[in-house]
């Protein structure tokens, strides 16, 4: 049998005949490279005449062939190293997911004694902690790092997947073949989750997209400027433009002399308005979810006996005697100077509101003869409690609107702590972290616009 027939028999496995004496010690045909060559066939072998292999291959052809196979061997080793690195990364992520799943089952009680918190609180804490891990170090208008973005999407998908199994039964009409209509109970996603969860996911996507638009910007931050940079002399710094809110630990944005261009300024204003609308939507969802959560008995037991002692004499007298109650005017008279004072006032007003509501309910729980006597005597004692409760509610709402960055009140914290509904826990924590992110984005944009306005006014 001639050499050409031998080539035809071995051409499928990529084998090329050669004498053992001409094969160098580092030939890629041996070891790992030989395994790879069994599945690889050079494209040139399809166009080269088979008769050319009948003669002894030239040294130049051997060198070219060895160079090609050596490169392929290097690529193989690189791919194997990449696979090992990916395996290490996947293993680390798997261990992290195992740890968080264990905490979820144990209720964050690592002793396993069953003294942990309930599932609703555990999931709420998991979403809050994930937000702190991903966005806790984000203090600037810049895109989220790819690994942080991937972590946020991946782990939120796992946490939100619980909602796929929260169902409720609803009556549906079933038509039989004979035309008879029967009513059957059919499972469907719970209404509040069906309505609010897709809305929150949309708001989440919009916020990430807003951050992604700030990649190539005309502004930068002071801590990123080298000491010998030419931009240092024209930059705006904390000593020249102090922050309005006194948060000195946040980085200060800088712009070139003359301010931003009209296009950049328009883009910032547009994204600020969009983030502001997202903040309002997330805050509305969070308020509605908190309103659906039952008030814990512990909070009811700790309510003050008198609403007047809770809000104070001056506020109580204004709420009681004013013919036309104006919460804005009352807040202006109080002259609140800090967020701490605003939160303290919100707690006192809220506890007074529920105290007056409880007294109004107790008034209606009297005996029938007492109700008849009340109608005959035409007393207005119960109207007084209703009026005070309504005015306290309007004052609390106005206070939250004036201070949108206000922390959660004592009642909100108590509701989250003693809540047992997993669906409400997910919706509340998800809307809360999105509300915080949207507020931060608005504040970061306001900082840039403030510095831009200051630079333009300095050049006038």
């Amino acid at each position: 049998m001639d050499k050409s027939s031998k080539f035809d028999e071995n051409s499928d496995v990529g084998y090329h005949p050669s004498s053992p004496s001409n094969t160098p010690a580092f030939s890629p045909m041996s070891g790992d490279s030989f395994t790879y060559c069994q599945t690889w066939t050079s494209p040139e072998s399809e166009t080269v005449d088979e008769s050319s292999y009948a003669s002894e291959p030239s040294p130049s052809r051997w060198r070219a062939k060895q160079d090609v196979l050596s490169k392929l061997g290097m690529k193989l080793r690189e791919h194997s190293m990449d696979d090992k690195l990916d395996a290490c990364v996947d293993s680390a992520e798997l261990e992290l997911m195992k740890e968080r799943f264990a905490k979820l089952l144990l209720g964050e009680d690592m002793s396993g004694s069953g003294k942990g918190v309930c599932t609703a609180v555990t999931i709420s804490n998991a979403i809050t902690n994930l937000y702190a891990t991903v966005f806790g170090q984000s203090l600037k208008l810049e895109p989220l790092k790819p690994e942080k973005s991937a972590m946020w999407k991946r782990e939120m998908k796992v946490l939100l997947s619980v909602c796929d199994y929260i169902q409720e039964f609803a009556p549906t009409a079933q038509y039989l073949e004979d035309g008879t209509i029967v009513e059957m109970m059919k499972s469907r996603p719970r209404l509040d989750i069906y309505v609010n969860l897709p809305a929150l996911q949309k708001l989440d996507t919009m916020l990430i997209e807003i951050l992604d638009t700030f990649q190539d910007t005309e502004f930068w931050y002071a801590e990123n400027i080298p000491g010998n940079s030419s931009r240092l002399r024209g930059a705006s710094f904390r000593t020249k433009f102090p922050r309005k809110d006194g948060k000195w630990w946040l980085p200060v944005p800088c712009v070139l002399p003359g301010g931003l261009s009209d296009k950049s300024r328009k883009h910032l204003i547009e994204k600020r308005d969009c983030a502001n609308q997202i903040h309002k939507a997330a805050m509305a969802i969070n308020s509605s979810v908190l309103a659906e959560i039952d008030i814990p008995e512990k909070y009811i037991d700790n309510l003050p006996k008198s609403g007047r002692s809770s809000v104070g004499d001056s506020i109580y007298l204004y709420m009681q005697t004013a013919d036309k109650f104006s919460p804005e005017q009352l807040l202006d008279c109080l002259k609140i100077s800090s967020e701490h004072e605003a939160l303290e006032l919100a707690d006192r007003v809220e506890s007074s509101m529920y105290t007056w509501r409880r007294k109004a309910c107790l008034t209606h729980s009297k005996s029938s003869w007492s109700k008849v006597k009340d109608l005959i005597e035409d007393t207005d004692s119960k109207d007084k409690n209703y009026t005070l409760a309504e005015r306290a509610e309007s004052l609390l709402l106005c206070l939250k609107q004036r201070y949108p960055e206000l922390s959660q009140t004592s009642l909100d914290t108590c509701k989250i702590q003693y809540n047992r509904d997993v669906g409400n826990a997910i919706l509340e924590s998800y809307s809360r972290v999105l509300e915080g992110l949207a507020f931060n984005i608005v504040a970061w944009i306001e900082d840039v616009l403030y510095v831009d306005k200051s630079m333009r006014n300095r050049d006038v």
Side-chain angles (χ1 to χ4, degrees):
M1 186 178 296
D2 56 359
K3 294 181 179 180
S4 61
S5 62
K6 292 180 181 180
F7 169 74
D8 294 335
E9 294 175 358
N10 301 320
S11 60
D12 293 337
V13 295
Y15 173 78
H16 302 284
S18 61
S19 59
S21 60
N22 293 333
T23 304
F26 55 85
S27 172
M29 296 298 294
S30 61
D32 297 336
S33 299
F34 178 75
T35 306
Y36 181 78
C37 291
Q38 287 183 338
T39 59
W40 176 81
T41 302
S42 173
E44 297 178 356
S45 63
E46 299 178 359
T47 58
V48 177
D49 188 8
E50 293 182 359
S51 62
S52 62
Y53 290 92
S55 60
E56 190 70 22
S58 62
S60 61
R61 180 174 296 177
W62 268 115
R63 285 194 296 270
K65 194 180 302 182
Q66 291 168 0
D67 292 340
V68 172
L69 294 177
S70 299
K71 293 179 180 178
L72 290 172
M74 293 175 63
K75 290 182 178 179
L76 274 177
R77 288 190 290 271
E78 290 176 358
H79 288 315
S80 63
M81 292 176 63
D82 292 340
D83 293 339
K84 292 180 181 178
L85 181 61
D86 293 340
C88 293
V89 174
D90 294 340
S91 177
E93 292 180 354
L94 181 60
E95 291 299 325
L96 181 61
M97 292 184 66
K98 286 181 179 179
E99 178 185 354
R100 294 185 177 179
F101 183 67
K103 289 182 178 180
L104 180 64
L105 292 180
L106 296 172
E108 299 180 355
D109 177 23
M110 307 312 292
S111 66
S113 58
K115 298 179 180 179
V117 297
C118 66
T119 305
V121 178
T122 306
I123 293 182
S124 178
N125 292 341
I127 294 177
T128 304
N129 294 336
L130 177 61
Y131 172 79
T133 302
V134 175
F135 297 98
Q137 300 298 324
S138 298
L139 303 175
K140 310 172 187 176
L141 279 176
E142 60 183 4
L144 198 62
K145 293 181 180 179
E147 59 271 16
K148 294 287 188 180
S149 178
M151 176 187 292
W152 174 256
K153 293 178 181 179
R154 179 179 63 252
E155 300 199 16
M156 281 302 300
K157 183 178 180 181
V158 174
L159 293 173
L160 297 179
S161 64
V162 180
C163 295
D164 297 337
Y165 302 94
I166 299 178
Q167 305 285 327
E168 66 180 1
F169 287 101
T172 56
Q174 183 74 25
Y175 295 88
L176 302 180
E177 295 181 356
D178 58 356
T180 306
I181 302 177
V182 295
E183 190 178 74
M184 301 180 62
M185 300 299 291
K186 186 177 180 181
S187 63
R188 67 180 183 186
R190 209 170 72 181
L191 185 59
D192 58 339
I193 296 176
Y194 181 78
V195 172
N196 292 323
L197 186 58
L200 291 173
Q201 290 175 321
K202 180 62 177 178
L203 298 179
D204 186 357
T205 304
M206 293 173 65
L207 288 174
I208 300 298
E209 290 176 351
I210 290 177
L211 290 177
D212 290 338
T213 59
F214 295 101
Q215 191 164 6
D216 297 323
T217 60
E218 298 180 6
F219 59 89
W220 66 99
Y221 289 88
E223 61 187 24
N224 293 331
I225 305 176
N228 56 356
S229 175
S230 59
R231 304 169 82 180
L232 186 64
R233 293 186 295 271
S236 54
F237 285 100
R238 199 184 317 274
T239 56
K240 296 181 181 179
F241 301 107
R243 297 185 61 88
K244 297 178 294 183
D245 50 10
K247 297 180 179 179
W248 52 267
W249 61 89
L250 296 178
V252 176
C254 308
V255 298
L256 290 173
L260 301 171
S261 63
D262 293 338
K263 180 180 179 181
S264 180
R265 191 179 303 109
K266 182 179 179 181
H267 174 261
L268 283 169
I269 295 175
E270 178 183 350
K271 297 305 177 183
R272 180 197 61 184
D273 296 340
C274 181
N276 192 27
Q277 294 299 321
I278 294 174
H279 175 260
K280 292 180 179 179
M283 186 166 55
I285 295 176
N286 185 263
S287 299
S288 64
V289 173
L290 283 173
E292 292 297 325
I293 300 177
D294 295 334
I295 302 176
E297 291 293 336
K298 184 176 181 180
Y299 182 84
I300 297 295
D301 296 339
N302 293 331
L303 284 176
K305 295 182 179 180
S306 172
R308 177 173 183 172
S309 62
S310 179
V311 296
D313 292 337
S314 58
I315 298 178
Y316 175 78
L317 292 176
Y318 183 86
M319 295 174 64
Q320 182 185 21
T321 58
D323 295 334
K324 294 183 179 180
F325 178 71
S326 174
E328 293 84 1
Q329 184 177 357
L330 177 57
L331 291 179
D332 292 337
C333 296
L334 295 176
K335 297 180 180 180
I336 302 173
S337 59
S338 65
E339 296 180 11
H340 178 73
E341 293 182 3
L343 181 60
E344 184 181 0
L345 176 62
D347 286 335
R348 292 191 285 114
V349 171
E350 194 168 41
S351 61
S352 299
M353 177 183 68
Y354 283 102
T355 299
W356 287 321
R357 283 183 178 178
R358 184 173 62 173
K359 288 184 177 181
C361 293
L362 291 175
T363 303
H364 285 280
S365 63
K366 294 179 180 180
S367 62
S368 58
W369 174 245
S370 298
K371 292 181 180 180
V372 173
K373 288 178 60 178
D374 289 340
L375 291 175
I376 295 174
E377 295 173 358
D378 194 21
T379 59
D380 59 348
S381 59
K382 58 183 179 181
D383 296 335
K384 174 183 176 182
N385 290 324
Y386 270 120
T387 302
L388 290 174
E390 290 177 356
R391 292 183 175 183
E393 184 177 7
S394 62
L395 177 60
L396 181 64
L397 179 61
C398 182
L399 185 63
K400 290 183 177 180
Q401 291 177 348
R402 181 170 295 193
Y403 299 93
E405 71 280 6
L406 201 64
S407 303
Q408 292 175 330
T409 61
S410 300
L411 176 60
D412 296 339
T413 305
C414 192
K415 282 185 175 182
I416 296 171
Q417 181 181 358
Y418 291 95
N419 173 48
R420 295 296 182 267
D421 191 299
V422 176
N424 286 337
I426 293 176
L427 294 177
E428 189 281 326
S429 56
Y430 196 16
S431 60
R432 172 164 38 87
V433 298
L434 293 182
E435 178 185 343
L437 179 59
F439 178 81
N440 288 338
I441 292 177
V442 173
W444 297 337
I445 296 177
E446 289 285 356
D447 288 343
V448 177
L449 293 176
Y450 172 72
V451 173
D452 171 61
K453 181 180 179 180
S454 302
M455 291 295 290
R456 287 187 287 112
N457 292 338
R458 190 178 67 172
D459 295 338
V460 175

